Amino acid sequence: GAGVSQSPSNKVTEKGKDVELRCDPISGHTALYWYRQSLGQGLEFLIYFQGNSAPDKSGLPSDRFSAERTGGSVSTLTIQRTQQEDSAVYLCASSFSGYMGYNEQFFGPGTRLTVL
Amino acid sequence: QKEVEQDPGPLSVPEGAIVSLNCTYSNSAFQYFMWYRQYSRKGPELLMYTYSSGNKEDGRFTAQVDKSSKYISLFIRDSQPSDSATYLCAMSINQGGKLIFGQGTELSVKP
């Protein structure tokens, strides 16, 4: 079956521009996560959506970062006024809640963002 | 100091060697402990998870959790060149919650 998909796979932008990154989770998965992976910081949590609950935004590094999840499915991560330090791979993951056991997070291939 | 510490390596071993990968952590509230494998230019994939303390074995892989020492390990027996990847430890407080990752250890298994 289809896994988590992300688009674009690569994005090059100029400092100060806004960018939108898209994530399509696995069908039926109720939880969706965004992470960022950079050389200096490793893999860091950004934001987490679970069903209709208020998202956990505790990992967003600044108010330039925001995310939406429409219809409980597709999610968009928006970075406004991009800075060079935003250059990283942005990873999306999804999981199904409801099992008693561990709810594995399945990761997409990521969007590689380069801010010039 | 990061919540989860992992030696980034790189680690290079000959084929057939036993590999030991480790992470330490500071937050005693962590209950779920995972190891992910990430190939170049791919997303991480779950290798093993353990709830609370103890050992878990899956084929050539063994995961150990020692909550009293706040220390987790992944052992790979009879390592293969196809095991060459970055290995990330990850932890969470709740089963559906955010994951806190270590830096990742880059492993190379030479034929």
Side-chain angles (χ1 to χ4, degrees):
Chain A
V4 178
S5 61
Q6 293 187 244
S7 60
S9 54
N10 285 283
K11 176 72 176 177
V12 180
T13 191
E14 293 178 348
K15 178 181 171 181
K17 301 278 191 183
D18 297 353
V19 294
E20 285 189 352
L21 312 179
R22 177 187 167 105
C23 172
D24 282 89
I26 293 171
S27 177
H29 279 193
T30 53
L32 187 146
Y33 311 77
W34 282 98
Y35 295 86
R36 175 170 74 173
Q37 188 170 32
S38 57
L39 278 175
Q41 299 299 318
L43 222 160
E44 306 171 284
F45 165 78
L46 296 176
I47 187 168
Y48 158 46
F49 297 88
Q50 172 58 61
N52 295 321
S53 302
D56 176 356
K57 304 180 182 180
S58 60
L60 295 178
S62 78
D63 59 8
R64 296 186 296 105
F65 288 73
S66 63
E68 288 185 339
R69 188 177 186 195
T70 53
S73 182
V74 171
S75 177
T76 302
L77 177 70
T78 301
I79 310 173
Q80 295 178 309
R81 304 180 304 281
T82 52
Q83 304 294 311
Q84 288 181 330
E85 61 263 27
D86 298 335
S87 296
V89 176
Y90 288 81
L91 290 158
C92 176
S94 69
S95 70
F96 177 73
S97 297
Y99 294 127
M100 292 298 291
Y102 176 66
N103 299 321
E104 179 181 349
Q105 293 184 27
F106 293 85
F107 282 81
T111 294
R112 185 172 298 272
L113 175 66
T114 303
V115 182
L116 301 176
Chain B
Q1 184 186 2
K2 290 181 178 291
E3 275 190 286
V4 180
E5 298 278 359
Q6 182 178 6
D7 186 340
L11 183 61
S12 182
V13 301
E15 183 175 354
I18 296 174
V19 176
S20 172
L21 304 168
N22 312 291
C23 289
T24 58
Y25 63 95
S26 57
N27 189 345
S28 58
F30 287 136
Q31 295 271 48
Y32 295 85
F33 303 91
M34 282 68 70
W35 287 95
Y36 279 82
R37 178 174 61 194
Q38 185 176 26
Y39 291 112
S40 181
R41 301 268 173 165
K42 303 285 188 184
E45 55 179 347
L46 182 67
L47 260 183
M48 298 188 73
Y49 90 91
T50 309
Y51 171 69
S52 195
S53 283
N55 293 0
K56 189 171 186 178
E57 189 173 320
D58 184 1
R60 295 185 295 110
F61 298 88
T62 299
Q64 289 185 349
V65 174
D66 182 347
K67 290 189 73 177
S68 62
S69 302
K70 297 191 179 69
Y71 186 88
I72 72 170
S73 301
L74 177 71
F75 297 95
I76 307 173
R77 290 183 298 282
D78 186 25
S79 55
Q80 303 295 309
S82 58
D83 295 329
S84 298
T86 296
Y87 290 80
L88 300 138
C89 63
M91 306 177 190
S92 68
I93 295 172
N94 303 310
Q95 67 163 312
K98 64 187 179 187
L99 297 178
I100 307 299
F101 283 87
Q103 285 280 88
T105 300
E106 186 180 348
L107 172 67
S108 176
V109 181
K110 304 293 187 186

